[in-house]
């Protein structure tokens, strides 16, 4: 590091587990950018003062993770329309007046799906969950023009609230009973598990994969360990994808927003894969 080294980072609580430093530092090195990316553990009550202080100290850009994405959107001096739509920011970009907020989570998932040749336009999609990640993903699917979007959540009122925010005609909010209903399942092209069930604390009802299309794609936002949802989908012969591709692409999009340069994707993927392997071995 030199006096000219620019500082980037990630705000979260906790944040020590984040794999973004490994991925972004590898990207800066590969792109020959004199910059460093560090984790900043920040309690909710200190978020505003931390963002102000990091701006005053000249920090060039930030990622934001759980539980601060909604609050970060409120502290941003301006919001990209996709961050405004879902009410959350995962990326803060330095401007003359302060940090502007964007949200690359949904676009990151779409990029990961595109790598599997899945284009959402005209497709039937089921999202399980209605939390922060489901919100950014749902808005991205609506923008991409899905034929239908069903949001199934343990607390149906949250699913209802989410679909109201979409202002999209082809949406339906429901509870987890939908995961067993042939009428819902048989039309689907994609199921995305946006719940935190893979982290423990409960399980989803078993999905009746037998009634789904053989070409159904099943995606879990969780990465690093196989979820029960993906294990069951795989056992039923359905194609599966975990959340590592979304993590990679949301980070690559943030890198481009900060630097104006194309992200060195292969290097970032390699760094992320190694970091996931190390994190899994430690568990
Ligand atoms: P939130 O806490 O905002 O939302 C959690 C969701 O899970 C809610 O819909 C909640 O339902 C549901 N849920 C929790 N426990 C259960 C249960 N026992 N049964 C059924 N539903 C349950 O979490 P996030 O949206 O921020 O994160 C969700 C997952 O996505 C995490 O695993 C996270 O690691 C992952 N993620 C991955 C990213 C990536 O880049 N790959 C990016 C962001 C998140 P209810 O409303 O009823 O409480």
């Amino acid at each position: 590091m030199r006096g000219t080294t620019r500082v980037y980072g990630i705000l979260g609580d906790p944040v020590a587990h984040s794999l973004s430093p490994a991925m972004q530092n590898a990207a800066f090195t590969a792109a020959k950018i004199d910059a460093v990316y560090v984790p900043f553990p920040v309690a909710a009550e200190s978020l505003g003062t931390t963002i102000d202080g990091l701006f005053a100290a000249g920090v060039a850009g930030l990622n934001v993770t759980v539980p601060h994405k909604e609050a970060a959107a409120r502290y941003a001096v301006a919001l990209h329309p996709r961050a405004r739509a879902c009410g959350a920011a995962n990326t803060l970009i330095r401007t003359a007046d302060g940090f502007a907020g964007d949200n690359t989570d949904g676009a990151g998932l779409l990029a990961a799906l595109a790598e599997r040749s899945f284009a959402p336009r005209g497709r039937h999609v089921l999202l399980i969950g209605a939390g922060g990640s489901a919100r950014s993903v749902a808005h991205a699917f609506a923008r991409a023009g899905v034929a239908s979007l069903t949001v199934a959540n343990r607390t149906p009122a949250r699913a209802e609230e989410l679909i109201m925010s979409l202002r999209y005609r082809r949406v339906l909010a429901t509870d987890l009973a939908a995961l067993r209903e042939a009428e819902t399942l048989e039309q689907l092209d994609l199921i995305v598990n946006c719940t935190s069930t893979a982290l423990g604390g409960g399980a989803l009802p078993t999905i009746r994969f037998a009634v789904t299309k053989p070409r159904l794609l099943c995606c879990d936002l969780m990465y690093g360990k196989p979820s029960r949802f993906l294990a069951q989908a795989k056992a039923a012969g359905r194609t599966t994808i975990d959340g590592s591709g979304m993590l990679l692409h949301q980070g690559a999009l943030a890198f481009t927003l900060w630097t104006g340069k194309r992200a060195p994707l292969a290097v970032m993927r390699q760094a992320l894969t190694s970091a996931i392997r190390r994190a899994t071995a430690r568990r």
Side-chain angles (χ1 to χ4, degrees):
M1 279 198 286
R2 293 181 283 268
T4 53
T5 302
R6 274 174 288 165
V7 177
Y8 294 82
I10 179 163
L11 308 176
D13 184 20
V15 76
H17 66 287
S18 173
L19 306 181
S20 292
M23 181 169 67
Q24 297 293 359
N25 282 314
F28 288 134
T29 303
K32 297 189 172 37
I33 294 173
D34 178 16
V36 64
Y37 182 105
V38 289
F40 293 111
V42 185
E45 59 273 21
S46 313
L47 185 68
T49 49
T50 302
I51 290 175
D52 286 347
L54 293 176
F55 182 78
V59 163
L62 292 163
N63 279 136
V64 184
T65 188
V66 175
H68 300 319
K69 291 182 188 178
E70 280 90 359
R74 292 194 294 275
Y75 285 117
V77 293
L79 282 180
H80 188 286
R82 62 189 173 187
R84 189 178 314 118
C86 65
N90 79 331
T91 305
L92 297 177
I93 304 115
R94 191 177 181 88
T95 71
D97 306 322
F99 287 114
D102 200 345
N103 194 316
T104 63
D105 280 337
L109 177 62
L110 295 196
L113 293 173
E115 284 189 332
R116 297 296 192 94
S117 304
F118 184 93
R121 178 167 294 280
R123 311 297 277 277
H124 296 278
V125 177
L126 168 66
L127 290 192
I128 312 172
S133 59
R135 232 179 148 74
S136 56
V137 163
H139 280 267
F141 280 127
R143 276 194 304 277
V146 290
S148 72
L149 184 66
T150 303
V151 180
N153 195 43
R154 178 177 61 177
T155 311
R158 287 187 84 193
E160 192 66 46
E161 199 184 310
L162 171 48
I163 67 159
M164 294 300 281
S165 78
L166 292 172
R167 298 164 199 253
Y168 197 66
R169 277 180 298 119
R170 292 163 283 189
V171 289
L172 177 74
T174 179
D175 59 21
L176 297 180
L179 306 190
R180 302 201 51 77
E181 286 165 8
E183 202 184 318
T184 303
L185 294 172
E186 62 196 9
Q187 61 161 352
L188 296 174
D189 300 299
L190 172 70
I191 302 178
V192 185
N193 180 19
C194 303
T195 72
S196 48
T197 48
L199 300 171
L204 294 174
T206 301
I207 295 173
R208 290 174 63 197
F209 287 106
V211 301
T212 64
K213 293 177 186 170
R215 289 175 60 84
L216 172 76
L217 180 60
C218 296
C219 174
D220 201 311
L221 299 195
M222 180 69 187
Y223 50 84
K225 65 172 187 180
S227 68
R228 185 168 170 265
F229 163 64
L230 288 194
Q232 288 174 346
K234 203 168 179 183
R238 302 303 182 264
T239 307
T240 61
I241 168 173
D242 75 2
S244 57
M246 173 176 171
L247 183 64
L248 169 70
H249 286 285
Q250 64 76 31
L253 290 165
F255 177 95
T256 300
L257 288 168
W258 294 324
T259 65
K261 292 182 191 299
R262 183 196 289 257
L265 208 54
V267 169
M268 294 175 84
R269 193 189 305 273
Q270 169 83 53
L272 186 57
T273 304
S274 304
I276 290 175
R277 205 175 296 127
R278 283 195 302 275
T280 310
R282 275 199 300 272
R283 277 196 204 118

